[in-house]
Amino acid sequence: MRHRKIENRPVELTELGFGASAMGNLYRITSAQEATAAVDTAWAGGIRYFDTAPHYGLGLSEHRLGAALKNRTREEYVVSSKVGRLLVPNERPRGVDTEGFVVRDDLRRQWDFSRDGVLRSIEATLERTGLDRLDIVYLHDPDDHWRQAAEEAMPALADLRDQGVIGAIGAGMNQSAMLARLLRETAADVVMLAGRYTLLDQSALDDVLPAATELGKSVVAVGVFNSGLLSRDRPAEGMKYDYQDAPPDLVTRARAIAEVCERHATTLPAAAIAFPFTHPATINVTLGMRNPEQVARNVELHGRHTPEDLWDDLRAQGLIRADVPVDRPAAAGRGPHLDSEDARGRSSPCP
């Protein structure tokens, strides 16, 4: 699988990444065996970038990901986690977590973007994963915490990066406006953009993507199925869009895009994975993966050829914005493609 490099940082990501939220029992229980098998399948498919967070299952995802990677050569893979939600003892447990993860709530999340909170969070993540370092650390959903995130958390991460403790730093959010500010006003190298540069929403073209281009920074795209509406060949009523029931007009639009995809001998989910790479700032698409079957399907979808004239057709029909760039992923020297052998052993920034 091809690798792409975070601009101006010594970290390379495979084009497809493994999102480990389901390893934390997101929405339903995933067994430890199933979680490990999913990572094994991802590895066999060439995936070498794995993303997790303390938020995912109150640390369960980090525990499981670390265990699944334990016997792999550390220099061959990249791991990112996040800061901003410290896990602290829950004085009033109800038995089950209330934020979508099927786990006991002996711990609770506490917002904290202070310097001390960042350092404590990273230390706890390293303990849960058993890793000696993190390659990328993101601020996790700092929407309501701009001042502390920008003035305390990001400088703390920048110090760790400059000391060589972390390879790259950034933020992950469901909005693009604040991500653009973080790129422009802080030391962030890369942002994890959720759902704002997809076949149904190209609003990131107004802020974060031009910021990344101008400043020589990078974007990791997540949420490319917009919570499910773009995940099937033929979208149906009742499917989700941004965590809610999809409005009828969006279902109709998704169906129209699917029909164009079929005429170009591809499918809607394959095009959804390929689409973020139309912008040269995008270096990776990370997908949530629960089991080996999902992993195998996503690897196969990513590997399909997407004809460039598909985007031309979608532009011409007004189904995507006219200013979506022409699909030249390696243009202007950004996000260089590296084959697996060239990149092997160089995906980690630290010796």
Side-chain angles (χ1 to χ4, degrees):
M1 184 177 294
R2 293 182 299 187
H3 290 61
R4 298 186 186 215
K5 185 175 179 292
I6 295 177
E7 285 288 303
N8 301 309
R9 301 305 307 162
V11 185
E12 295 164 4
L13 309 183
T14 47
E15 282 190 342
L16 192 62
F18 183 104
S21 58
M23 296 181 84
N25 288 354
L26 179 63
Y27 304 134
R28 64 181 187 272
I29 292 174
T30 300
S31 70
Q33 294 80 6
E34 193 173 35
T36 299
V39 172
D40 290 344
T41 304
W43 192 275
I47 294 173
R48 296 294 185 270
Y49 173 46
F50 302 86
D51 175 70
T52 184
H55 171 56
Y56 302 156
L58 294 170
L60 179 62
S61 172
E62 292 185 322
H63 277 295
R64 286 178 164 177
L65 181 62
L69 293 171
K70 183 177 180 179
N71 296 320
R72 310 286 184 183
T73 301
R74 184 62 184 92
E75 288 72 24
E76 292 186 4
Y77 61 87
V78 169
V79 171
S80 61
S81 193
K82 306 179 183 75
V83 297
R85 288 176 169 96
L86 274 177
L87 302 184
V88 300
N90 188 358
E91 302 85 355
R92 298 177 181 176
R94 298 181 181 180
V96 180
D97 181 46
T98 59
E99 296 199 27
F101 295 89
V102 186
V103 294
R104 290 186 57 83
D105 62 344
D106 298 326
L107 300 173
R108 64 177 176 84
R109 302 162 184 86
Q110 177 176 287
W111 289 105
D112 192 336
F113 288 95
S114 69
R115 180 181 182 84
D116 180 65
V118 165
L119 298 177
R120 287 169 58 197
S121 183
I122 292 173
E123 182 179 5
T125 289
L126 292 175
E127 183 176 345
R128 283 189 292 267
T129 59
L131 297 172
D132 61 347
R133 65 184 182 275
L134 296 172
D135 302 292
I136 308 170
V137 177
Y138 299 105
L139 307 184
H140 201 177
D141 297 334
D143 304 66
D144 300 323
H145 306 273
W146 165 262
R147 188 163 194 169
Q148 192 176 53
E151 297 179 4
E152 296 186 46
M154 196 60 79
L157 291 180
D159 286 346
L160 294 174
R161 178 197 62 193
D162 295 345
Q163 294 168 26
V165 177
I166 297 169
I169 62 174
M173 302 176 72
N174 288 292
Q175 58 152 301
S176 59
M178 188 180 287
L179 289 180
R181 284 193 68 189
L182 286 163
L183 286 178
R184 292 187 181 280
E185 300 177 34
T186 77
D189 306 302
V190 57
V191 292
M192 181 169 273
L193 175 68
R196 305 284 75 86
Y197 192 59
T198 73
L199 286 170
L200 291 173
D201 184 338
Q202 293 102 55
S203 55
L205 284 170
D206 298 325
D207 40 45
V208 72
L209 289 170
T213 301
E214 292 165 21
L215 298 169
K217 299 185 177 184
S218 299
V219 174
V220 168
V222 298
V224 299
F225 295 144
N226 284 121
S227 299
L229 186 55
L230 298 173
S231 65
R232 297 183 188 173
D233 293 2
R234 296 181 179 276
E237 299 290 343
M239 296 182 72
K240 299 295 182 182
Y241 176 82
D242 283 3
Y243 311 107
Q244 299 179 3
D245 290 341
D249 62 315
L250 280 181
V251 176
T252 299
R253 186 170 155 216
R255 286 172 175 167
I257 295 173
E259 291 174 1
V260 177
C261 289
E262 289 180 9
R263 292 201 295 271
H264 288 269
T266 189
T267 66
L268 182 63
I273 292 172
F275 176 76
F277 292 112
T278 59
H279 198 284
T282 303
I283 61 168
N284 167 276
V285 167
T286 289
L287 304 173
M289 306 195 204
R290 183 180 297 275
N291 53 48
E293 293 74 24
Q294 286 185 0
V295 175
R297 176 178 184 263
N298 289 333
V299 170
E300 188 274 328
L301 289 171
H302 167 261
R304 292 186 188 181
H305 171 69
T306 303
E308 186 173 321
D309 55 2
L310 168 64
W311 315 128
D312 296 332
D313 204 352
L314 291 173
R315 288 189 202 93
Q317 297 191 39
L319 292 170
I320 59 174
R321 283 173 45 163
D323 55 345
V324 167
V326 173
D327 183 22
R328 295 193 183 98
R334 297 184 54 84
H337 294 173
L338 304 166
D339 67 31
S340 296
E341 290 190 4
D342 287 342
R344 188 176 298 136
R346 298 189 289 117
S347 61
S348 172
C350 303

